[in-house]
Amino acid sequence: MTSFYIISGSILILLTLLCFYLPYKNNREKTGIIVSKILGIIIIGSLISRLDFLVIFIWPIIFAFQIIFITYWIFRLFGKTKLGTVFSFILTIGFILIAIQPWITDWTFNKKEASKILSWHHIKLKKDFQILHNESGGFTDYSHTFTLKISESDFKKIANEIRNSKSFKRVFSDSQKDFPVLNYDSYDTINYETDKYLEREFYTKEKQKDGTFHFIISLNKKTKELHYFGINE
């Protein structure tokens, strides 16, 4: 068991004890017992199971609930029930906004941001383009991917850059299985072409703002779409 589990689990258990103590002090012992028992079972169960995805997903929810619950009962303990309700509501909205922030980022992703990311990779689109897809996030790692419908001229320009690069391998058949493999330690760039795609894959020493440093940029030869994929592993 790592120090993360021990420290985080200990904090959640201490907060669980407060979730019992505060209602108890407010003469709501039954409420405290029910809430603390449910929280305790979930926390201990997730510690025993050692399932990372369960911990990463469930523990933040438990922590948010505990903070909201404790805040309400602290105000109620001092006879400020209405104020406790207001603060608990504000905290609830705040935690919800934090939880859906990745989706908000995806919804608000625009052409300026896409152009900025591509420019970081020395790819500049001269003509207008359309964002067909955008998605980011991850539990144990982070990735960002988007697909653009680009102009014929921009497609040809990027395709020529890939084909004329020093690291261009050759044209592979889609039925082949011996595609080039990138060496993580070398920071080399691999450029190659298949029957359907032109692809560039590389690692960078410098990371993007979102922490990604492993990138794949591919062009669909049929649809004239640019697919971008960045990940932090």
Side-chain angles (χ1 to χ4, degrees), residues 60-75:
I61 296 176
I62 292 176
F63 177 75
F65 172 81
Q66 289 175 324
I67 295 300
I68 294 167
F69 188 83
I70 289 170
T71 298
Y72 171 78
W73 286 100
I74 286 176
F75 277 100

Side-chain angles (χ1 to χ4, degrees), residues 158-165 168 191 198-200 219:
I158 299 170
N160 287 334
E161 289 175 359
I162 292 176
R163 289 179 178 132
N164 295 327
S165 65
F168 183 73
N191 292 279
L198 281 147
E199 190 160 296
R200 170 175 291 173
L219 298 175

Side-chain angles (χ1 to χ4, degrees), residues 98-141:
I98 292 172
I100 65 174
Q101 192 273 335
W103 288 274
I104 294 175
T105 301
D106 287 343
W107 297 333
T108 58
F109 186 73
N110 54 49
K111 293 180 180 180
K112 183 178 180 180
E113 291 175 295
S115 297
K116 186 176 181 180
I117 291 173
L118 293 178
S119 179
W120 195 83
H121 296 293
H122 308 291
I123 296 175
K124 295 184 179 181
L125 301 177
K126 301 292 186 181
K127 303 290 185 178
D128 191 25
F129 59 89
Q130 180 183 359
I131 300 175
L132 302 178
H133 171 78
N134 177 68
E135 185 178 355
S136 62
F139 287 112
T140 57
D141 50 40

Side-chain angles (χ1 to χ4, degrees), residues 13-227:
I13 290 172
L14 288 174
L15 292 175
T16 298
L17 294 175
L18 277 176
C19 288
F20 164 75
Y21 177 74
L22 290 171
Y24 170 78
K25 291 292 290 183
N26 280 273
N27 298 317
R28 293 292 187 273
E29 182 179 350
K30 187 175 181 180
T31 300
I33 291 174
I34 294 173
V35 171
S36 59
K37 273 188 176 181
I38 293 174
L39 293 176
I41 290 171
I42 296 173
I43 295 167
I44 294 172
S46 58
L47 278 171
I48 294 173
S49 65
R50 296 188 181 182
L51 297 176
D52 288 342
F53 74 90
L54 185 64
V55 170
I56 293 172
F57 182 72
I58 296 295
W59 281 16
I61 296 176
I62 292 176
F63 177 75
F65 172 81
Q66 289 175 324
I67 295 300
I68 294 167
F69 188 83
I70 289 170
T71 298
Y72 171 78
W73 286 100
I74 286 176
F75 277 100
R76 182 163 175 167
L77 183 63
F78 291 97
K80 306 290 184 180
T81 303
K82 290 184 178 180
L83 198 58
T85 302
V86 171
F87 270 89
S88 298
F89 177 77
I90 293 173
L91 284 173
T92 301
I93 298 299
F95 280 121
I96 290 174
L97 289 175
I98 292 172
I100 65 174
Q101 192 273 335
W103 288 274
I104 294 175
T105 301
D106 287 343
W107 297 333
T108 58
F109 186 73
N110 54 49
K111 293 180 180 180
K112 183 178 180 180
E113 291 175 295
S115 297
K116 186 176 181 180
I117 291 173
L118 293 178
S119 179
W120 195 83
H121 296 293
H122 308 291
I123 296 175
K124 295 184 179 181
L125 301 177
K126 301 292 186 181
K127 303 290 185 178
D128 191 25
F129 59 89
Q130 180 183 359
I131 300 175
L132 302 178
H133 171 78
N134 177 68
E135 185 178 355
S136 62
F139 287 112
T140 57
D141 50 40
Y142 177 86
S143 65
H144 183 197
T145 178
F146 59 80
T147 303
L148 309 178
K149 178 70 174 180
I150 61 177
S151 67
E152 181 75 25
S153 60
D154 280 328
F155 179 88
K156 288 181 178 179
K157 180 173 69 72
I158 299 170
N160 287 334
E161 289 175 359
I162 292 176
R163 289 179 178 132
N164 295 327
S165 65
K166 293 181 179 179
S167 57
F168 183 73
K169 299 299 181 180
R170 58 186 173 89
V171 179
F172 294 83
S173 170
D174 287 332
S175 60
Q176 289 179 265
K177 296 182 180 180
D178 58 337
F179 291 112
V181 178
L182 194 63
N183 184 354
Y184 171 82
D185 296 323
S186 67
Y187 294 103
D188 288 336
T189 297
I190 291 179
N191 292 279
Y192 63 92
E193 183 175 356
T194 70
D195 297 334
K196 298 179 180 179
Y197 298 93
L198 281 147
E199 190 160 296
R200 170 175 291 173
E201 182 178 4
F202 54 98
Y203 288 90
T204 59
K205 291 182 180 180
E206 183 183 356
K207 297 180 181 180
Q208 282 263 31
K209 288 184 178 180
D210 58 12
T212 53
F213 57 88
H214 178 196
F215 306 97
I216 299 174
I217 297 172
S218 62
L219 298 175
N220 187 309
K221 295 161 69 173
K222 181 179 180 180
T223 63
K224 301 297 186 292
E225 294 173 359
L226 182 150
H227 179 74

